[in-house]
Amino acid sequence: MRFRPVKTLPATRYRIAPLDPHAHLFEVRCTVADPAGDGQRFRLPSWIPGSYLVREFARHFVTVRAESGGVAIPVQKEAKDLWRAAPCSDSLTIVAHVYAFDLSVRAAYLDATRGYFNGPAVFLCPEGRAEAPCEVEIAPPEGAVGGAWRVATTLPSAGAPRWGFGRYRAENYDELIDHPVEMADFHHASFEAGGAVHDVAITGHIDADLARMAGDLTRICQWHIDFFGGAPGSRPPFDRYLFQIAAVGDGYGGLEHRSSTSLVCKRDELPARGEARITDDYRRFLGLASHEYFHSWNVKRIKPSAFAPYDLARENYTRQLWAFEGITSYYDDLALVRSGVIEPQGYLELVGQTLTSVLRDPGRQVQSLADASFDAWIKYYRRDENTPNAGVSYYLKGSLVALALDLVLRQRGGSLDAVMRTLWQRFGRTGIGVPEDGIEKIASELGGEVIAPFFARCIRGTEDPPLADLLGAFGVTLHRRAAESGTDRGGKPGGKANDGDPPRCWLGATVTGGASPALQHVFSRGPAEGAGLAGGDVIVAIDGLRASVDAIEKLLRRRRAGEVLNVHAFRRDELIVTELTLAEAPQDVCWLTPAATVDEATRARRAAWLGRDF
Ligand SMILES: [Zn+2]
């Protein structure tokens, strides 16, 4: 055995303070004890792990200056995300004022009600010092704002009291930027799972049953811990965990970190006091929390080799996001039923909704999951009117392919559970990145020769996974019907009043707005496209009558396929007059039911899959 001497780098010291909450400005300082002799460079990440878009966080750096020993040091900008301070002999501090008014979970926010930041949006990395230990002082705002604020983060304390402002630390820059920080007068709940304390900090105006939420999250988190640990009573790969939640009027999103997650949800999605059932809203919140928690293993520790390590200056290409997001999307809801928080019928409803959503997009026959993963950087986060025709969601179709893969493996004595546990043992625990063919290889070890053609068709190709047959073999029947309204999300049998009613017609477009309806997406080879209409067109009249979303809905119910509509629409400020021939609605709405009769073997397979006998 040979020892390599390791040069100990002096700590990089940071200080972040809300400078002016009303102007949404943080002041962020970064001090290097021994700056590079030819001028120290500082770089800001261009993207945040977990959200695969180059976001150019540097665009919110309003001013940047430097000082050394009380003397100003000139700073030159060398690239969009790169600053270089002139050479100096003493310790060097770079001071940035950062505009923070992004309510998402990906950047930073500051006003008189709360402060929040992700490291990539605020902390410069001194070049050549990514491995240096970091110390960070999180300071309270000065003045009247923030008197009752506390700090919620999983950054390890270096003296700061629990929930307090003060000093924190990180082993290196990678860790520094993986613990978002919330400062606010937040609501708090706490529970234990797998021997680790789990805290929930909720910012926003809420009136919710936090004890009930903590109880449900306990069961869900324990399920995930036991899933990867392989046995009840396992321990998670962190000492403590934090759910950092911003509850708002309307919003949805989450971002995973190594021992915490930031979520944005609607306040109505939190459980109401005195309410015992799981509403659709609350189920959505639990699914989001479950999703981000599963990521603690799948993508934060089991990660594609392209992310080990991350290159934060540019796109990091991988064809595996369908696995890291799609498999996570499969297990997020599955964990709710397997942990007993929701009933099997509720889970089948969610799968039916996902199927409906995927079947509606012609783009699933154009773009493969592997290609959707690779092009996430230019496509997934840049949806436009043509996205449903040209692309597929690696989350939604990825979760269906994960379901199909699980059922295929179960028919051969394996399971996706076993694949995930093997991934955890071989890659997650070791910190080795998963090669591009790593998941297929492990699945093939368990499933044999059927796996390679499955990957070729459903992941590298654009075929739909054969879910009707697979679900049938597990005692679940897949039904299909036409949409009953423009807001029909599927998952349920539908409630058409009279079986004798004619089926609703199809426009071949989604319509938004109320009194002034606009086409949002116009589907390939559908009636609207055939009439020359496009996404963004505003429909003003149909057959001589003023159009509205309600009027279009009524018309689609009353008219028959094959009938021709006279349509007046505006594209920009130009009037279009055209004829649109209504079509029969596609059978793209899905719902699932337990099969009417199942034999014992099928019932046992279903119970092993869902963790529930019914
Ligand atoms: Zn995710």
Side-chain angles (χ1 to χ4, degrees), residues 143-343:
V145 168
W149 285 11
R150 295 181 292 164
V151 174
T153 181
T154 46
L155 266 174
S157 168
R162 192 127 168 83
W163 308 112
F165 289 94
R167 292 189 186 282
Y168 293 83
R169 63 181 165 80
E171 277 185 20
N172 49 38
Y173 184 79
D174 181 59
E175 186 189 357
L176 174 73
I177 62 168
D178 202 16
H179 297 277
V181 174
E182 174 82 24
M183 46 180 92
D185 181 15
F186 45 75
H187 306 263
H188 174 232
S190 187
F191 61 92
E192 193 194 298
V197 172
H198 289 59
D199 290 301
V200 185
I202 309 179
T203 303
H205 299 270
I206 62 161
D207 178 17
D209 185 346
L210 297 189
R212 180 183 175 208
M213 184 180 75
D216 290 333
L217 286 176
T218 305
R219 291 158 81 182
I220 294 164
C221 293
Q222 190 65 56
W223 182 87
H224 287 288
I225 294 165
D226 294 345
F227 175 83
F228 280 102
S234 296
R235 295 186 71 86
F238 37 74
D239 297 329
R240 58 178 287 226
Y241 191 88
L242 172 66
F243 289 95
Q244 223 170 34
I245 302 171
V248 296
D250 192 16
Y252 179 81
L255 194 60
E256 66 277 9
H257 301 281
R258 65 186 64 190
S259 56
S260 64
T261 179
S262 289
L263 311 177
V264 171
C265 70
K266 291 198 281 190
R267 64 178 68 91
D268 292 347
E269 287 173 349
L270 301 176
R273 291 177 205 279
E275 168 84 67
R277 75 196 168 97
I278 305 258
T279 62
D280 289 0
D281 274 347
Y282 182 41
R283 188 173 67 189
R284 189 167 186 248
F285 166 79
L286 292 175
L288 176 63
S290 176
H291 180 97
E292 304 306 340
Y293 197 75
F294 192 82
H295 271 317
S296 305
W297 290 265
N298 194 37
V299 96
K300 292 312 300 186
R301 289 174 174 84
I302 307 165
K303 52 175 80 171
S305 52
F307 295 173
Y310 301 113
D311 179 349
L312 295 170
R314 56 190 58 80
E315 294 84 351
N316 292 192
Y317 294 108
T318 172
R319 290 183 169 78
Q320 299 191 77
L321 290 184
W322 72 269
F324 289 95
E325 289 301 347
I327 291 178
T328 302
S329 297
Y330 170 51
Y331 280 106
D332 59 19
D333 289 335
L334 190 62
L336 304 187
V337 66
R338 284 205 190 155
S339 64
V341 170
I342 66 170
E343 293 302 313

Side-chain angles (χ1 to χ4, degrees), residues 536-608:
D537 288 352
V538 176
I539 310 295
V540 288
I542 298 178
D543 287 348
L545 294 175
R546 182 174 11 212
S548 67
V549 168
D550 286 347
I552 291 172
E553 187 58 44
K554 276 185 200 151
L555 189 140
L556 292 174
R557 290 166 196 261
R558 292 177 70 97
R559 304 292 283 269
R560 302 284 187 276
E563 290 185 19
V564 176
L565 307 180
N566 190 260
V567 178
H568 284 64
F570 274 111
R571 178 170 305 163
R572 301 179 296 276
D573 62 349
E574 295 167 20
L575 184 67
I576 294 170
V577 181
T578 185
E579 291 187 338
L580 183 152
T581 305
L582 288 169
E584 205 170 290
Q587 301 277 310
D588 59 9
V589 177
C590 300
W591 85 97
L592 310 177
T593 54
T597 54
V598 288
D599 57 36
E600 274 312 304
T602 305
R603 186 172 161 170
R605 269 200 300 275
R606 186 173 68 192

Side-chain angles (χ1 to χ4, degrees), residues 425-442:
Q425 294 300 334
R426 287 188 198 169
F427 298 104
R429 278 186 182 281
T430 60
I432 298 169
V434 181
E436 292 290 291
D437 61 353
I439 294 172
E440 183 176 346
K441 275 190 173 158
I442 292 174

